């Protein structure tokens, strides 16, 4: 039996907690810097971390309202931040639900249904996911530019085209959910078959309720990736009213003027949808990540 002295345990606890505090400070320091810039007067990136004369100007403008300064000057919002946020949320939710539906159904098929060449298809998916979509930006642009000549809804500057590109990144999530399904006892399938259930009924009434944790993980990770995407959206989306928040925020930092304060407020607002989605799915995330990591 190992016995440690209380003094040694106290030192270890102090060191562990001290390390965690320092680690959190290093992680959160950039966020506090951006938060400080959003409350400073003017649009300056340098200054005290605690604003000397804090103002809500950048936040009022980010929410789309006119701001009246102390000298009576009325400042209008330079860009439609809330419209950009709505575009980001709309595209992110639709693409995330699409990825979740395709990945869940495909994972069930690979896990439970006998398919000729299943191993080769899984290996192909594994190889495809090694190459990021940004490597195909030139091809993506050419394809959707040509499609736009046939039907504008599938062309450039279309949210439908952006959603389709995002849904193409489903391969990794198929592997993730398949590993979860592989860990479910096959006796459930046999019992359902004996009771006369079809494979679709088994999937709908047995596997889907059991897979809620891993589905929540896939949905949240997909949504975060889509709503924060810049390279693909910046290539496909051109007009200001169609931009997502990640792409539109870049307009604050143009070659003629850097609106750091307005940019900081918009950047913090971009994390609001992610926070809300994370809080809603929080109860399932821990179990989904842990179980999906050890199964398969």
């Amino acid at each position: 039996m190992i016995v440690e002295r209380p003094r040694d345990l106290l030192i270890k606890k102090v060191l562990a907690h001290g390390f965690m505090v320092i680690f959190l400070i290093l992680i959160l320091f950039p966020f506090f810097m951006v938060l400080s810039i959003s409350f400073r007067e003017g649009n300056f990136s340098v200054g005290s971390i605690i604003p000397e004369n804090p103002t809500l100007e950048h936040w009022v403008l980010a929410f789309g309202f006119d701001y009246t300064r102390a000298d009576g000057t009325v400042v209008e919002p330079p860009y439609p931040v809330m419209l950009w946020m709505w575009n980001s949320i709309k595209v992110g939710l639709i693409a995330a639900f699409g990825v979740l539906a395709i990945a869940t159904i495909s994972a069930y098929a690979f896990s439970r249904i006998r398919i000729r060449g299943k191993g080769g298809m899984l290996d192909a998916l594994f190889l495809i996911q090694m190459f990021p979509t940004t490597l195909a930006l030139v091809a993506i642009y050419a394809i959707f530019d040509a499609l736009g000549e046939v039907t504008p809804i599938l062309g450039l500057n279309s949210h439908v085209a952006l959603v389709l590109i995002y849904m193409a990144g489903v391969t990794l999530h198929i592997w993730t959910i398949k590993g979860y399904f592989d860990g479910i006892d096959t006796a459930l399938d046999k019992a359902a078959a004996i009771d006369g259930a079809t494979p679709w009924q088994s999937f709908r009434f047995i596997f889907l309720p059991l897979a809620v944790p891993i589905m929540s993980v896939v949905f949240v990770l997909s949504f975060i990736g889509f709503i924060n995407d810049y390279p693909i959206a910046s290539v496909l989306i051109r007009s200001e009213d169609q931009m997502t928040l990640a792409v539109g925020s870049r307009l604050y930092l143009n070659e003629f003027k850097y609106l750091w304060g307005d940019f900081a407020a918009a950047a913090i607002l971009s994390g609001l949808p992610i926070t809300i989605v994370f809080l809603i799915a929080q109860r399932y995330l821990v179990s989904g990540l842990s179980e999906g990591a050890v199964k398969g």
Side-chain angles (χ1 to χ4, degrees):
M1 180 177 180
I2 301 176
V3 179
E4 294 195 59
R5 292 177 297 179
R7 186 171 180 274
D8 295 338
L9 289 175
L10 179 61
I11 293 175
K12 291 180 179 180
K13 288 181 180 179
V14 171
L15 291 176
H17 285 82
F19 173 79
M20 288 300 300
V21 170
I22 295 174
F23 183 70
L24 289 175
I25 290 175
L26 291 176
I27 291 177
L28 294 176
F29 182 74
F31 170 77
F32 287 121
M33 283 295 297
V34 174
L35 185 65
S36 173
I37 294 173
S38 69
F39 286 105
R40 292 178 188 167
E41 285 187 325
N43 285 282
F44 303 102
S45 61
V46 295
S48 174
I49 192 171
I50 300 178
E52 298 178 359
N53 298 307
T55 176
L56 294 176
E57 175 181 346
H58 307 303
W59 287 94
V60 173
L61 296 178
F63 280 103
F65 300 104
D66 296 341
Y67 182 82
T68 304
R69 295 176 177 170
D71 59 359
T73 304
V74 178
V75 183
E76 297 181 354
Y79 299 109
V81 176
M82 300 309 294
L83 176 60
W84 293 343
M85 178 178 287
W86 165 244
N87 291 339
S88 298
I89 295 173
K90 177 179 65 176
V91 171
L93 286 177
I94 295 175
F97 276 117
V99 165
L100 182 62
I102 296 174
T104 306
I105 296 173
S106 301
Y108 175 77
F110 282 123
S111 177
R112 285 298 196 264
I113 299 178
R114 294 183 179 180
I115 304 174
R116 181 177 297 179
K118 180 169 63 175
M121 286 188 285
L122 286 172
D123 292 338
L125 291 177
F126 186 77
L127 292 174
I128 291 173
Q129 74 183 13
M130 293 182 179
F131 301 94
T133 310
T134 51
L135 294 179
L137 280 180
V138 176
I140 290 172
Y141 179 87
I143 291 172
F144 283 93
D145 184 40
L147 287 175
E149 297 179 0
V150 179
T151 170
I153 197 173
L154 293 178
L156 301 178
N157 202 41
S158 168
H159 289 163
V160 175
L162 192 58
V163 168
L164 291 177
I165 292 298
Y166 287 158
M167 290 174 61
V170 71
T171 53
L172 175 63
H173 303 301
I174 292 176
W175 270 92
T176 303
I177 301 179
K178 177 186 177 298
Y180 191 93
F181 283 157
D182 288 344
I184 298 177
D185 194 348
T186 55
L188 294 175
D189 305 62
K190 297 177 181 178
I194 292 174
D195 291 338
T198 63
W200 171 254
Q201 290 173 326
S202 299
F203 168 72
R204 180 182 175 185
F205 296 108
I206 298 177
F207 281 83
L208 277 185
L210 294 175
V212 169
I214 196 64
M215 290 169 64
S216 300
V217 172
V218 168
F219 178 82
V220 171
L221 294 179
S222 301
F223 181 75
I224 291 174
F226 298 151
I227 204 170
N228 287 332
D229 173 69
Y230 176 80
I232 299 174
S234 64
V235 170
L236 292 182
I237 304 301
R238 297 305 181 87
S239 64
E240 186 175 298
D241 61 324
Q242 293 288 93
M243 289 182 176
T244 59
L245 188 53
V247 177
S249 297
R250 182 64 182 85
L251 299 180
Y252 285 112
L253 308 178
N254 55 69
E255 57 183 334
F256 301 105
K257 191 174 183 180
Y258 285 74
L259 304 175
W260 288 110
D262 297 337
F263 174 81
I268 295 176
L269 281 177
S270 66
L272 184 61
I274 297 174
T275 303
I276 294 175
V277 170
F278 180 84
L279 291 176
I280 294 175
Q282 183 180 12
R283 57 180 296 190
Y284 303 108
L285 292 179
V286 176
S287 60
L289 284 172
S290 60
E291 294 179 20
V294 298
K295 294 183 177 181

